[in-house]
Amino acid sequence: GESVGLHLPTLSVQEGDNSIINCAYSNSASDYFIWYKQESGKGPQFIIDIRSNMDKRQGQRVTVLLNKTVKHLSLQIAATQPGDSAVYFCAENKGRNQGGKLIFGQGTELSVKP
Amino acid sequence: GAVVSQHPSWVICKSGTSVKIECRSLDFQATTMFWYRQFPKQSLMLMATSNEGSKATYEQGVEKDKFLINHASLTLSTLTVTSAHPEDSSFYICSARGAQGIYNEQFFGPGTRLTVL
């Protein structure tokens, strides 16, 4: 069935390095994707989103890239800080026919070493 | 951003009892609320979509008679886990979305940790 998945379940980086978290999706008709950060015991927190009419979108220290050809998106975090340690999820908005519900990927746990 | 609260933040109950979890949008009107379940080290799994004043739409495999959802007002949705069993122990998270459309941001609550003994 349809799914949104991640390539790497865990990622460990040194403080100050850049982090790249990947996500694959299976529904080529999907047109809206969101990245969330979830700290332990808390609800997801919005980071950045991207529509399918864009290839790249930048925020503060974060960049999301969308490759529709291979159905892949990534989240890049610049100058990773200890406070970035969390689990990161990509989510796919299923569109109007499904009430705009979100389907979450499996998640990547990011660990930042000081 | 908008604030969504959940109550209680954690609950422990005996097997066979029912537990009600509340989800409130504090500073906006939520025409749609979503309920998710998350097991340890796993992703969020959508359980149901709830529109104010309508019956909830459940995802495949989610028992609607076990997980009762009510969305009676634009600021409150409740999830009742009926006849809870240890396998229902999980982290339950709600999200709320305003009336601006399906691409409007979903704001997530802090979650409720349910432990069934």
Side-chain angles (χ1 to χ4, degrees):
Chain A
E2 296 177 321
S3 65
V4 181
L6 289 168
H7 297 302
L8 297 174
T10 59
L11 177 64
S12 183
V13 300
Q14 204 70 37
E15 181 179 359
D17 289 350
N18 297 333
S19 302
I20 299 176
I21 300 170
N22 297 300
C23 179
Y25 62 96
S26 57
N27 185 359
S28 58
S30 296
D31 63 355
Y32 181 47
F33 304 89
I34 310 103
W35 280 100
Y36 291 93
K37 172 185 180 183
Q38 186 181 29
E39 296 176 319
S40 181
K42 297 182 179 180
Q45 175 186 359
F46 174 92
I47 301 174
I48 192 168
D49 59 0
I50 189 167
R51 298 282 181 100
S52 61
N53 60 353
M54 304 174 69
D55 297 322
K56 178 180 179 179
R57 191 160 188 229
Q58 288 184 292
Q60 187 175 17
R61 283 203 304 120
V62 294
T63 301
V64 56
L65 300 177
L66 176 62
N67 186 329
K68 295 180 286 293
T69 302
V70 295
K71 293 182 285 187
H72 179 272
L73 66 159
S74 66
L75 176 70
Q76 301 178 3
I77 305 174
T80 314
Q81 302 169 359
D84 294 327
S85 294
V87 179
Y88 290 81
F89 295 97
C90 65
E92 174 187 5
N93 185 306
K94 299 300 287 182
R96 191 172 306 279
N97 289 341
Q98 299 192 50
K101 67 182 183 183
L102 298 179
I103 301 300
F104 280 74
Q106 66 184 110
T108 293
E109 183 170 11
L110 176 65
S111 176
V112 182
K113 296 177 289 186
Chain B
V3 179
V4 175
S5 69
Q6 285 185 237
H7 178 79
S9 55
W10 60 270
V11 56
I12 301 173
C13 70
K14 293 182 178 180
S15 184
T17 61
S18 295
V19 174
K20 180 184 285 188
I21 301 170
E22 293 184 348
C23 176
R24 293 181 185 273
S25 56
L26 299 184
D27 50 5
F28 70 103
Q29 293 186 328
T31 55
T32 305
M33 288 184 170
F34 302 87
W35 286 95
Y36 299 83
R37 179 169 53 181
Q38 185 178 33
F39 294 109
K41 299 294 184 182
Q42 294 189 23
S43 186
L44 281 75
M45 295 295 295
L46 180 65
M47 300 175 67
T49 302
S50 172
N51 290 298
E52 186 267 336
S54 303
K55 288 184 178 180
T57 301
Y58 291 81
E59 293 299 299
Q60 192 172 9
V62 178
E63 300 175 58
K64 63 180 181 180
D65 294 329
K66 180 170 183 62
F67 299 99
L68 302 179
I69 292 173
N70 183 282
H71 190 171
S73 79
L74 288 172
T75 59
L76 173 65
S77 176
T78 60
L79 167 67
T80 301
V81 183
T82 63
S83 186
H85 291 283
E87 58 265 29
D88 298 323
S89 298
S90 189
F91 193 50
Y92 291 86
I93 306 170
C94 72
S95 71
R97 188 181 70 202
Q100 291 85 348
I102 65 165
Y103 295 114
N104 201 41
E105 183 175 346
Q106 286 187 31
F107 298 96
F108 285 81
T112 296
R113 175 77 57 193
L114 170 63
T115 301
V116 184
L117 302 177

